[in-house]
């Protein structure tokens, strides 16, 4: 199904998942969709493998966790950060390297202190390769880390290659 992209989320300098200057990172881009889901697009490299030609399961879990955890940013007018309390990944298919992958994340429940969500890692052929469920504690960034948005280059980086729609 084709969805319209209604926004793009921030990238940073050195984050493993979204850091644009991290030479070993995924350089994932996070797009907000018109159906209140978040999609991360990325292309894993050889440095991200476990078995030859296959994405490492820990990296699969990390990108599912990040995408679901970031989905809360779409639901709040104020800045919301989450710390993972628990996370479960189910692997269904081998995940290849060197092709663009998509991870979908959505919020399925929330309270004043926590939120939960689910997500899927989708192969370029549309098959679901892994699913995730996470539970997160809401926490202000100053209690999580010494985070300076300017120093970390935490900003939306628009590109002429940014899609207007995405098929999921």
């Amino acid at each position: 199904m084709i969805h319209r992209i209604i926004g793009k989320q921030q990238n940073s300098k050195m984050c493993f998942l979204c850091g644009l200057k991290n030479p070993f990172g995924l350089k994932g881009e996070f797009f907000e969709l018109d159906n209140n889901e978040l999609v991360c697009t990325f292309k894993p490299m050889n440095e991200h493998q476990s078995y030859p030609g296959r994405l490492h399961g820990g990296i699969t879990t990390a990108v599912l966790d990040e995408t679901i955890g970031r989905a809360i940013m779409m639901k709040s007018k104020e800045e919301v950060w989450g710390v993972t309390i628990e996370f479960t990944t189910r692997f269904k298919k081998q995940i290849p390297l060197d092709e663009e992958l998509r991870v979908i994340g959505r919020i399925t429940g929330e309270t004043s202190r926590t939120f939960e969500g689910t997500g899927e890692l989708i192969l370029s052929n549309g098959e679901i390769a892994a699913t995730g469920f996470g539970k997160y504690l809401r926490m202000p960034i100053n209690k999580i880390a010494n985070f300076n948005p300017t120093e970390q280059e935490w900003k939306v980086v628009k590109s002429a290659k940014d899609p207007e729609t995405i098929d999921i």
Side-chain angles (χ1 to χ4, degrees):
M1 176 176 272
I2 296 178
H3 289 280
R4 189 170 52 88
I5 293 173
I6 60 171
K8 187 173 184 182
Q9 290 189 355
Q10 294 91 335
N11 282 79
S12 73
K13 181 171 62 177
M14 292 304 292
C15 172
F16 178 73
L17 293 158
C18 74
L20 298 177
K21 293 183 179 174
N22 184 334
F24 301 107
L26 295 177
K27 296 174 181 54
E29 296 183 283
F30 294 85
F31 299 99
E32 298 176 346
L33 305 181
D34 60 359
N35 66 346
N36 293 318
E37 292 180 333
L38 184 67
V39 63
C40 173
T41 60
F42 70 102
K43 186 175 181 179
M45 303 177 298
N46 284 331
E47 292 82 2
H48 304 131
Q49 73 178 318
S50 57
Y51 296 105
R54 301 291 175 228
L55 182 64
H56 192 283
I59 293 175
T60 299
T61 297
V63 73
L64 280 161
D65 178 37
E66 177 86 3
T67 305
I68 297 166
R70 278 176 168 252
I72 195 68
M73 294 178 184
M74 295 175 58
K75 296 184 64 107
S76 179
K77 292 182 180 162
E78 60 191 45
E79 195 168 86
V80 178
W81 295 81
V83 174
T84 308
I85 298 170
E86 66 181 76
F87 200 87
T88 303
T89 306
R90 298 206 184 271
F91 299 93
K92 299 174 178 259
K93 298 198 174 287
Q94 295 179 350
I95 303 169
L97 302 174
D98 293 324
E99 70 176 51
E100 185 171 280
L101 302 173
R102 293 164 294 165
V103 174
I104 309 300
R106 71 197 59 80
I107 302 305
T108 57
E110 60 183 306
T111 69
S112 62
R113 297 199 62 225
T114 64
F115 61 94
E116 297 179 349
T118 61
E120 300 83 35
L121 186 145
I122 302 170
L123 302 176
S124 62
N125 67 6
E127 293 181 309
I128 295 173
T131 62
F133 164 80
K135 185 172 183 178
Y136 305 82
L137 178 65
R138 293 174 189 264
M139 193 171 286
I141 189 64
N142 65 352
K143 294 205 180 216
I144 299 170
N146 184 11
F147 186 80
N148 178 318
T150 303
E151 181 181 300
Q152 297 303 318
E153 298 178 22
W154 181 247
K155 60 187 174 185
V156 174
V157 179
K158 298 215 178 216
S159 163
K161 295 179 183 179
D162 288 349
E164 293 182 15
T165 61
I166 194 160
D167 189 10
I168 55 171

